[in-house]
Amino acid sequence: RDMRERLSQLSDLLNIDTIKAELTAANSIQIDQLLLVPHRDLHRFPLHGFFADYTCRYLPHIPLHAPTASAEPLPLTPLLIVENPDHGDAIKGKSIKGLTGLPGLPFAELEAECLRQLISPDATHTLTAKQATKTQLAATLPEGYRVLHFSGHGVYDASIPAQSCLFLSEGDRFNLIDIVQQDLSQFDLVTLAACETAITGSESLTDEYVGLVSAFLSAGARTVRSTLWRVESEASMVLIVEFYLNLSQGMTPALALKQAQYFLAEANRQTLHTWFTDALTLVTDPVMQVLLRERQEAFAGPGVEQPFNHPYFWSPFTLTGL
């Protein structure tokens, strides 16, 4: 509820206006991209929201030999989707500190179906709810995919960051240690459509931070799209589909995410009604079509004019890597 006021206070504390003035005072140098390397707990905040005129990417630290970010369109196929793993009741008794349960994700399957149809059903492989076990995921990752899309639950363990994980089927967890043991160098993009995946924390009093994102980068993935906090399922689905749509039109990942965030923040009820109407022409699954029609009708009626304008909905999505 106080997020806008708190972010304004943070902007003052960080002297963001002075930073912006320095960026625009570069005379002949035209700056339109920022690489943000936050110090310590600043990793936890949506700093990109302060720089609306720039496309932003994050790094957990400054590498000694950083490759140049590619301006070429990102290849979206072959695509591996992990679709809303069915954790069932197996997770009970294995709680992570601060986690009391996993709510349903009504839009996760719809998100996956939209991506399959948008990208290419023939070039997409899906691990469905029952198939997405730890053994199956570990066996599937090395099969030559360029993009990994995980749609499900994730959590950050503040007390033991190495236990931060993505929840899989049959009560399995794909934690930080499991990730760094993989060779993910063939992945140009990893999308974690899960909560709290971008959060990092220190295991000791050093400047090096660990978390799920840094684990994927350490395993070789080039770019990771993730979230800073528990996001609303419908808003996340709309933003992610827009992100992939932008990528399919040749945008870089950073620009694609920025435009998707702008779309979600500015979308009014008529825009969202049209969005779900268009999605109906894309999705062929009858069950998913029912959900789409429900949301189409909901946005045709009265309500908040810009339902996702608050930064809670659009600002937690981050892009890390080159």
Side-chain angles (χ1 to χ4, degrees), residues 1-277:
R1 289 190 294 269
D2 299 331
M3 185 176 291
R4 284 195 171 101
E5 178 183 349
R6 298 293 183 90
L7 288 176
S8 178
Q9 293 172 356
L10 180 62
S11 176
D12 292 339
L13 286 170
L14 298 179
N15 214 356
I16 295 295
D17 286 343
T18 298
I19 297 174
K20 289 180 178 179
E22 290 292 329
L23 292 172
T24 56
N27 297 323
S28 60
I29 302 175
Q30 179 63 42
I31 299 174
D32 56 11
Q33 301 181 53
L34 299 182
L35 187 59
L36 305 177
V37 189
H39 180 60
R40 300 181 70 82
D41 284 337
L42 289 178
H43 281 277
R44 301 173 183 268
F45 298 102
L47 303 180
H48 53 278
F50 297 140
F51 301 100
D53 294 333
Y54 304 87
T55 57
C56 298
R57 291 169 291 131
Y58 290 83
L59 281 181
H61 61 273
I62 299 176
L64 293 179
H65 303 287
T68 303
S70 174
E72 297 297 320
L74 185 77
L76 295 178
T77 58
L79 166 66
L80 173 61
I81 296 177
V82 181
E83 181 183 343
N84 196 20
D86 182 10
H87 52 79
D89 294 329
I91 194 173
K92 292 181 178 179
K94 301 181 182 178
S95 63
I96 284 179
K97 184 178 180 180
L99 182 71
T100 57
L102 297 177
L105 296 173
F107 293 94
E109 289 89 350
L110 177 56
E111 174 182 293
E113 175 65 9
C114 285
L115 296 186
R116 277 191 292 270
Q117 300 302 324
L118 176 66
I119 305 304
S120 171
D122 295 333
T124 301
H125 177 65
T126 301
L127 294 181
T128 60
K130 296 294 185 183
Q131 297 172 334
T133 63
K134 182 176 178 178
T135 299
Q136 187 61 50
L137 177 58
T140 306
L141 284 173
E143 294 181 356
Y145 299 97
R146 302 293 297 274
V147 177
L148 169 63
H149 180 87
F150 177 90
S151 180
H153 280 290
V155 71
Y156 170 69
D157 189 336
S159 58
I160 309 178
Q163 291 187 4
S164 302
C165 68
L166 303 174
F167 291 103
L168 300 174
S169 301
E170 299 181 2
D172 288 348
R173 297 178 181 181
F174 207 59
N175 63 29
L176 187 144
I177 304 302
D178 298 320
I179 295 167
V180 297
Q181 291 176 344
Q182 308 296 316
D183 179 5
L184 303 179
S185 57
Q186 78 273 22
F187 284 95
D188 294 305
L189 173 67
V190 173
T191 295
L192 301 177
C195 299
E196 302 183 345
T197 49
I199 297 177
T200 56
S202 60
E203 290 188 307
S204 61
L205 296 178
T206 70
D207 289 337
E208 290 299 318
Y209 272 60
V210 295
L212 290 172
V213 172
S214 57
F216 275 101
L217 294 175
S218 295
R222 184 176 179 87
T223 302
V224 183
R225 198 221 58 82
S226 54
T227 56
L228 290 169
W229 55 72
R230 298 180 185 181
V231 295
E232 199 275 336
S233 184
E234 182 178 30
S236 176
M237 184 269 295
V238 172
L239 184 141
I240 286 168
V241 173
E242 282 293 310
F243 171 62
Y244 277 93
L245 178 61
N246 293 338
L247 287 175
S248 71
Q249 295 173 348
M251 294 186 192
T252 63
L255 181 57
L257 180 58
K258 176 186 175 181
Q259 297 287 36
Q261 289 174 319
Y262 179 81
F263 174 85
L264 186 67
E266 296 299 315
N268 58 28
R269 301 187 71 80
Q270 179 58 51
T271 301
L272 292 167
H273 177 269
T274 301
W275 192 93
F276 281 97
T277 301

